[in-house]
Amino acid sequence: MQVQALRGVTLQVRKGEMVAVMGPSGCGKTTLLNCFSGLDEFDSGTVLVAGHDIAHMPDDRKTEFRAREMGFVFQTYNLLPVLTAVENVELPLIVSGTRPRVAREMALAALERVGLRDRAHQRPAQLSGGQRQRVTIARALVNHPSIVWADEPTGALDSQTAREIMDLFVELNAAEQQTCVIVTHDPKVAACCHRTIQMADGLIVREDSREAMQAVAALGGGE
């Protein structure tokens, strides 16, 4: 049986904007993120990132484009346990052909931006959950990408650490105009973004302002 995960979705994200995507489980949030970032194939439509249509890129070019123009932050961190923090951060640079010496300098600078320069040579097992997520954010930002995709970036964190991670996202967005799309179930996370896209059954059904989501978060509301 064929299932339509997404149906006629149209979304524009402006440069320097933070957009949250919310909706019940199974509504298509992660599929939307994966299609927009080129991780999943889709049957029809166009996805433009920095003026490039990733839908029609060959796989090798798409991989290189993602490494150069996109950053990824996941709930499960996706850090390689055998590598140190700085080695994990420099991976996208190595994939995109940056010389190792330059990649190391850029990775250390990215760790500095998230407050973890002093943990550069520790492995993920030696770091707390919040520190691991900061390493993931440093890796996402190291190549100064056009856009960062984040899938439940605070889902595995306690409430205090989640606030710290979102404060970091907001700070980086304000300082560097970093564009971010964040899938979340948490109204407090959405309240940090400029606007929130609400999804249901593979469709975008509503758009909420930051002020609206701040009111929902203040009331302790859910999805």
Side-chain angles (χ1 to χ4, degrees), residues 179-195:
T179 309
C180 299
V181 176
I182 302 175
V183 166
T184 183
H185 69 280
D186 188 346
K188 293 185 177 67
V189 171
C192 296
C193 299
H194 297 112
R195 60 189 171 112

Side-chain angles (χ1 to χ4, degrees), residues 96-215:
S96 60
T98 304
R99 286 179 294 138
R101 182 175 174 180
V102 174
R104 178 56 56 94
E105 291 172 356
M106 292 175 68
L108 288 171
L111 286 170
E112 180 77 37
R113 288 155 75 197
V114 300
L116 282 183
R117 175 73 181 247
D118 61 333
R119 303 296 183 111
H121 299 291
Q122 292 185 327
R123 290 185 170 87
Q126 299 171 290
L127 303 173
S128 69
Q131 289 169 336
R132 292 180 201 176
Q133 196 60 297
R134 284 175 178 266
V135 173
T136 303
I137 293 170
R139 183 180 61 190
L141 297 173
V142 70
N143 54 356
H144 302 285
S146 297
I147 193 165
V148 170
W149 311 101
D151 193 357
E152 298 285 6
T154 64
L157 306 174
D158 62 77
S159 58
Q160 175 60 36
T161 306
R163 282 194 295 271
E164 293 172 1
I165 291 299
M166 286 313 300
D167 286 346
L168 178 59
F169 268 111
V170 171
E171 177 187 331
L172 291 166
N173 172 260
E176 304 181 25
Q177 288 294 290
Q178 179 62 60
T179 309
C180 299
V181 176
I182 302 175
V183 166
T184 183
H185 69 280
D186 188 346
K188 293 185 177 67
V189 171
C192 296
C193 299
H194 297 112
R195 60 189 171 112
T196 297
I197 302 301
Q198 300 282 354
M199 293 189 67
D201 300 323
L203 296 167
I204 292 175
V205 296
R206 195 173 77 243
E207 181 177 317
D208 293 321
S209 66
R210 173 181 280 175
E211 291 75 20
M213 292 311 302
Q214 287 173 340

